[in-house]
């Protein structure tokens, strides 16, 4: 998935779901003939993972401990919950917690704020939480009690959210602070006004640090405006230097724990079923949104949190637009359909793309382009091992793409740094996790890291029309025009989710057919 954030039309999805329920292929979960069990053609999503509460809380505590160690006794960290996003007027989007706060607390509560002060032996962590309000819950649903928040997060020092502002004011002025007794929602300690002396001593010599997420960004942040507003009130005279906490989390989150991998695998499994249902149904559809409805139906059916990113379902020339999200085009039997869809489950996203023939059979030209992309993806996968990098995966795939494009006649010079980019204009990989484009940067591969492998070729119908009007480009256009006319309108991307292991790689999306024979065989069986 190569994208920016955008919005899916609710009306289109609703209409599509209604159509899909009426036309969904019947999929037997289990058929028995004598002693033989016949598995379903479409792979049904396995049950969701279930975790032991003690182990889950132990992992959360270990994460907070690692962050505290990175901050050190002279620093403090303040983390805000995500701000509600307005859909229109007085209607908000569904709330989704800020990733890093969720990573440390497992809490999906608005107005929750976490403060870590590693140098305070008495109260190293405090959670500020809105007090439950029966009138508000009547309208907007259940809010966490202190006991529920503690059970989910493992944090045992919980103060009412109204205490946060006076607490921060005291920190800024190096003053002792004690919350009002009635605003201590939960505590395992006798809360005194002390405990911050070491932090204030560091600040007195200008050695204190205030850690905030994504600060300082350039311009106004899309996601971390609360942090910007807080930092603006924190003067240098306070003795605290503003530090960016994001690199700490990036280093931690790029390598997934076994628990995280189970959540990611479940998101992937839901996505695999959605892809297969869509492939089975596509020949019955007249419009792309009908195929997209199979995805929405499956995500709801399997209790996904949401999609990890807006669906891409493009048929024919629409498959050559990387961020095609409208799903309003016609579905035609002789064309390819590109589907880039991934579920989110437990705050972790899948990211899966398949390109398949609506008819169930690739044409000669479609197969020629598809095989190049398939071979490029295989080449990228072969270099995956501990110590390798995303750049090496991209370079390996790109060399195969160049050879293939030269063979098809779509480029004239494989050493050119611009010709192949007309048809393959994006990177091959990105990190995957709590974001579909997750943290990690240029880190070398280690076991437990997950990323995508997604080469593509896109022969846009207007690709040659938009090239610069220079002699070199005119010569290029004349040379590739015959091949362009042959392959015009074909768009292919194949995307799989890769887990780095101790000795290589695991294809987490391996259960979804990928080769030309496997795709054609699956579609034939599913539609029969």
């Amino acid at each position: 998935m190569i994208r920016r954030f955008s919005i899916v039309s609710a009306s289109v999805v609703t209409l599509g779901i209604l159509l899909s329920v009426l036309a969904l292929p019947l999929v037997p979960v289990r058929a028995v003939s004598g002693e033989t069990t016949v598995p379903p053609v479409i792979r049904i999503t396995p049950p969701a993972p279930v975790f032991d509460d003690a182990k889950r809380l132990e992992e959360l505590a270990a994460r907070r401990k690692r962050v505290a160690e990175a901050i050190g006794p002279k620093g403090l960290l303040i983390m805000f919950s995500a701000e509600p996003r307005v859909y229109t007027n007085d209607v908000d989007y569904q709330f989704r917690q800020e990733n890093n706060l969720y990573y440390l607390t497992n809490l999906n509560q608005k107005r929750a704020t976490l403060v870590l002060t590693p140098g305070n032996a008495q109260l190293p962590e405090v959670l500020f939480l809105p007090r439950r309000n029966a009138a508000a819950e009547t309208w907007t649903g259940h809010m966490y009690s202190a006991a529920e928040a503690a059970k989910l997060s493992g944090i045992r020092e919980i103060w009412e959210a109204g205490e946060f502002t006076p607490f921060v004011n005291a920190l800024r002025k190096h003053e002792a602070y004690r919350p009002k007794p009635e605003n201590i929602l939960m505590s395992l300690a006798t809360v005194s006004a002390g405990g911050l002396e070491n932090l204030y001593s560091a600040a007195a010599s200008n050695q204190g640090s205030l850690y905030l997420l994504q600060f300082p960004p350039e311009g106004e942040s899309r996601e971390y405006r609360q942090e910007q507003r807080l930092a603006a009130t924190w003067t240098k005279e306070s003795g605290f230097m503003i530090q960016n906490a994001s690199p700490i989390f990036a280093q931690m989150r790029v390598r997934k724990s076994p628990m995280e991998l189970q959540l990611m695998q479940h998101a992937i499994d839901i996505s695999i079923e959605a892809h297969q249902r869509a492939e089975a149904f596509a020949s019955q559809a007249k419009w792309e949104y009908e195929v997209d409805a199979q995805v929405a139906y499956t995500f709801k059916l399997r209790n996904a949190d949401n999609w990890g990113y807006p669906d891409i379902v493009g048929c024919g020339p629409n498959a050559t637009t990387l961020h095609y999200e409208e799903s309003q085009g016609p579905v035609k039997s002789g064309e390819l359909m590109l589907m880039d869809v991934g579920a989110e489950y437990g705050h972790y996203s899948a990211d899966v793309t398949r390109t398949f023939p609506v008819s169930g059979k690739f044409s000669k030209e479609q197969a020629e382009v598809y095989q190049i992309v398939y071979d490029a993806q295989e080449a990228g996968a072969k270099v995956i091992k501990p110590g390798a990098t995303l750049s090496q995966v991209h370079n390996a795939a790109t060399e195969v793409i160049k050879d293939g494009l030269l063979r098809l006649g779509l480029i004239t010079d494989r050493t050119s740094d611009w010709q192949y980019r007309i048809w393959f204009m994006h990177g091959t990989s990105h990190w995957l996790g709590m974001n579909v484009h997750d943290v990690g940067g240029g880190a070398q591969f280690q076991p437990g890291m997950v990323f995508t492998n997604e080469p593509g070729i896109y022969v846009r119908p207007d690709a040659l029309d938009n090239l610069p009007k220079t002699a070199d480009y005119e010569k290029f256009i004349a040379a590739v025009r015959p091949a362009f006319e042959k392959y015009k309108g074909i768009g292919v991307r194949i995307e799989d989710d890769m887990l780095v292991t101790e000795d290589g790689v695991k294809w987490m999306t391996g259960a979804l057919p990928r080769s030309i024979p496997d795709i054609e065989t699956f579609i034939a069986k599913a539609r029969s």
Side-chain angles (χ1 to χ4, degrees):
M1 191 284 305
I2 311 106
R3 71 178 57 255
R4 51 174 173 72
F5 181 78
S6 62
I7 301 165
V8 173
S9 166
S11 60
V12 170
V13 172
T14 302
L15 174 61
I17 291 174
L18 291 174
L19 290 170
S20 76
V21 170
L22 294 175
L24 187 69
L26 295 176
V27 182
V29 175
R30 190 168 183 265
V32 179
S33 176
E35 297 296 324
T36 303
T37 300
V38 180
V41 177
I42 290 176
R43 182 179 184 268
I44 303 302
T45 303
V50 177
F51 303 115
D52 177 79
D53 273 350
K55 291 182 179 179
R56 183 181 58 79
L57 292 177
E58 181 181 346
E59 181 162 323
L60 290 174
R63 293 174 186 175
R64 294 195 296 271
K65 181 181 179 182
R66 283 186 62 188
V67 172
E69 290 172 348
I71 294 169
K74 298 180 181 180
L76 70 142
L77 168 70
I78 297 177
M79 302 180 70
F80 296 104
S81 65
E83 294 183 281
R85 305 296 182 184
V86 176
Y87 175 71
T88 180
N89 194 23
D90 60 350
V91 178
D92 289 342
Y93 286 103
Q94 177 182 333
F95 181 76
R96 184 185 185 278
Q97 188 60 277
E98 194 279 323
N99 284 331
N100 300 293
L101 180 60
Y102 191 87
Y103 184 73
L104 296 188
T105 68
N106 206 36
L107 297 175
N108 201 41
Q109 174 72 58
K110 300 175 186 177
R111 293 183 59 219
T113 303
L114 178 65
V115 176
L116 299 184
T117 52
N120 186 345
Q122 182 184 10
L123 295 175
E125 53 186 26
V126 179
L127 175 67
F128 294 84
L129 195 70
R131 192 189 301 274
R132 291 187 64 184
N133 183 307
E137 290 189 35
T138 299
W139 290 92
T140 58
H142 182 72
M143 300 169 63
Y144 293 139
S145 68
E148 289 168 331
K151 183 177 180 180
L152 285 168
S153 67
I155 298 172
R156 295 294 188 268
E157 192 67 41
I158 304 177
W159 300 354
E160 201 276 325
E163 290 288 337
F164 176 72
T165 297
F167 173 73
V168 167
N169 288 337
L171 288 175
R172 192 182 290 113
K173 299 175 183 177
H174 304 180
E175 295 176 350
Y177 185 79
R178 185 197 304 268
K180 296 177 181 178
E182 64 270 23
N183 287 339
I184 300 175
L185 305 182
M186 174 178 285
S187 180
L188 294 182
T190 301
V191 180
S192 70
L196 295 169
E197 294 82 5
N198 291 336
L199 182 64
Y200 291 161
S201 176
S205 57
N206 294 314
Q207 295 182 25
S209 295
L210 169 60
Y211 284 84
L212 299 169
L213 287 168
Q214 290 292 330
F215 191 90
E218 296 181 4
E220 185 179 46
S221 172
R222 296 176 60 187
E223 189 170 1
Y224 297 100
R225 288 173 293 186
Q226 294 176 95
E227 286 77 3
Q228 287 184 312
R229 290 194 291 266
L230 176 64
T233 67
W234 208 282
T235 64
K236 293 182 179 179
E237 288 72 23
S238 68
F240 290 91
M241 180 175 291
I242 306 296
Q243 302 280 7
N244 186 1
S246 298
I248 297 172
F249 288 93
Q251 186 180 35
M252 291 175 60
R253 282 174 42 199
V254 70
R255 190 170 183 177
K256 309 300 187 291
S257 71
M259 201 172 295
E260 290 178 282
L261 291 174
Q262 289 184 64
L263 291 170
M264 292 191 71
Q265 186 63 63
H266 192 61
I268 289 168
D269 288 337
I270 294 172
S271 306
I272 289 173
E273 182 178 348
H275 273 273
Q276 291 192 331
R277 286 181 180 271
E279 290 180 20
F281 173 78
S283 63
Q284 303 177 45
K286 293 182 179 180
W287 300 96
E288 292 162 345
Y289 60 76
E290 298 176 66
V291 182
D292 191 19
Q294 297 289 327
V295 177
Y297 169 80
T298 307
F299 286 2
K300 284 294 185 183
L301 181 68
R302 302 304 175 203
N303 198 32
D305 300 343
N306 207 328
W307 36 248
Y309 50 93
D311 300 344
I312 293 174
V313 179
C315 188
N318 289 336
T320 67
T321 298
L322 302 184
H323 293 162
Y324 178 74
E325 297 165 357
E326 291 81 2
S327 299
Q328 293 292 302
V331 175
K332 297 180 180 179
S333 179
E335 294 182 332
L336 292 178
M337 177 165 285
L338 187 154
M339 295 189 60
D340 186 341
V341 298
E344 180 180 285
Y345 183 85
H347 232 73
Y348 288 83
S349 180
D351 190 3
V352 189
T353 305
R354 286 294 183 269
T355 308
F356 62 93
V358 174
S359 67
K361 287 287 186 179
F362 287 87
S363 71
K364 179 178 180 293
E365 291 75 19
Q366 292 167 350
E368 287 173 342
V369 175
Y370 188 96
Q371 191 62 47
I372 294 169
V373 177
Y374 179 91
D375 292 342
Q377 193 189 32
E378 287 283 303
K382 287 179 181 177
V383 306
I384 300 171
K385 60 182 180 180
T389 64
L390 295 182
S391 295
Q392 290 176 312
V393 175
H394 175 71
N395 292 340
T398 299
E399 292 306 306
V400 175
I401 293 284
K402 288 179 179 179
D403 288 340
L405 292 173
L406 185 65
R407 188 167 62 250
L408 296 185
L410 286 169
I411 63 173
T412 61
D413 181 4
R414 75 176 312 283
T415 65
S416 167
D417 61 358
W418 60 267
Q419 288 190 11
Y420 79 93
R421 291 183 179 273
I422 297 171
W423 319 111
F424 176 38
M425 64 292 294
H426 60 77
T428 304
S429 300
H430 58 79
W431 301 109
L432 185 65
M434 302 185 92
N435 284 331
V436 68
H437 290 160
D438 210 35
V439 296
Q444 290 187 331
F445 293 161
Q446 297 179 43
M449 293 182 175
V450 181
F451 61 95
T452 64
N453 181 4
E454 52 174 320
I457 293 176
Y458 314 89
V459 189
R460 289 185 58 78
D462 62 352
L464 300 184
D465 299 334
N466 296 321
L467 295 178
K469 307 302 181 184
T470 66
D472 286 344
Y473 278 98
E474 292 294 343
K475 181 179 179 181
F476 169 79
I477 291 170
V480 304
R481 175 71 71 178
F484 171 76
E485 295 298 332
K486 183 179 180 181
Y487 299 105
K488 182 170 62 177
I490 293 177
V492 174
R493 180 164 68 251
I494 315 171
E495 179 179 22
D496 285 85
D497 301 339
M498 321 298 283
L499 167 64
V500 181
T501 64
E502 294 288 348
D503 55 0
V505 64
K506 175 185 176 182
W507 296 66
M508 298 181 75
T509 41
L512 184 59
R514 187 171 58 93
S515 69
I516 290 176
D518 287 348
I519 289 174
E520 292 182 341
T521 298
F522 166 76
I523 291 176
K525 288 182 178 179
R527 292 178 182 176
S528 66

